[in-house]
Amino acid sequence: MYVVKSPLSDANLKTVSEALQGALVDLVDLALVAKQIHWNVVGPRFRSVHLQLDEVVTLARTHSDTVAERAAALGVSPDGRAATVAVGSGIGVTPEGWVDDSTAVGALVDALGAVIVRMRERVTATAEPDPVSQDVLITITGDLEKQHWMFQAENG
């Protein structure tokens, strides 16, 4: 079996692989959380929040694929299995059942905020060992921060 070899040193690869794996877990969970709330949001702003949640789902899914492929390019097997995501995600508990629009927006503000904090830590951690992976994480963080701002603006 062919194994992809990274040009990074073992120490640098360990740091980068942990950052990429953590990002993958958070992004997979963010997509799941946003979709769960998307299915259950109710209230006067239903339509706009419902559609905005799908933007987050698409963003998280797209970026999770980018992160997983970056890991694979470095010879690291990405792990997006449900059990791995459940154990490793930094996102708190998602509201259960029907969720009024204000609560839904607040839950997304919290989820995005939690992921952004962890992504910024990963940006810092990858600066020296792999600027290419850092660039991927910077782009993702910028996109997440834009959504974070938009959801914060929803609740004023």
Side-chain angles (χ1 to χ4, degrees):
M1 175 189 219
Y2 176 77
V3 178
V4 178
K5 299 291 184 186
S6 171
L8 301 177
S9 70
D10 288 346
N12 287 347
L13 184 60
K14 181 180 185 315
T15 299
V16 173
S17 67
E18 288 172 359
L20 292 172
Q21 179 58 39
L24 176 62
V25 164
D26 281 346
L27 290 165
V28 169
D29 198 27
L30 181 61
L32 293 170
V33 166
K35 194 51 113 169
Q36 178 65 28
I37 295 171
H38 165 90
W39 292 325
N40 287 285
V41 67
V42 294
R45 295 181 296 159
F46 163 79
R47 181 160 173 73
S48 64
V49 173
H50 182 79
L51 295 174
Q52 192 174 0
L53 287 162
D54 261 346
E55 291 177 18
V56 173
V57 171
T58 299
L59 179 81
R61 286 177 178 166
T62 299
H63 283 318
S64 66
D65 192 51
T66 300
V67 166
E69 289 178 355
R70 177 66 189 152
L74 294 174
V76 176
S77 175
D79 187 354
R81 296 173 300 160
T84 303
V85 172
V87 169
S89 176
I91 300 173
V93 176
T94 304
E96 188 176 328
W98 301 115
V99 182
D100 71 83
D101 51 13
S102 290
T103 301
V105 169
L108 253 291
V109 168
D110 292 346
L112 285 161
V115 173
I116 288 165
V117 166
R118 289 165 52 114
M119 291 299 282
R120 285 187 160 274
E121 291 168 357
R122 295 173 186 123
V123 166
T124 300
T126 55
E128 188 65 31
D130 186 21
V132 176
S133 293
Q134 183 196 41
D135 187 54
V136 169
L137 297 171
I138 288 169
T139 299
I140 294 166
T141 303
D143 287 348
L144 293 171
E145 288 178 344
K146 181 177 179 182
Q147 288 296 325
H148 192 235
W149 155 58
M150 290 182 170
F151 272 97
Q152 289 178 81
E154 275 286 332
N155 274 350

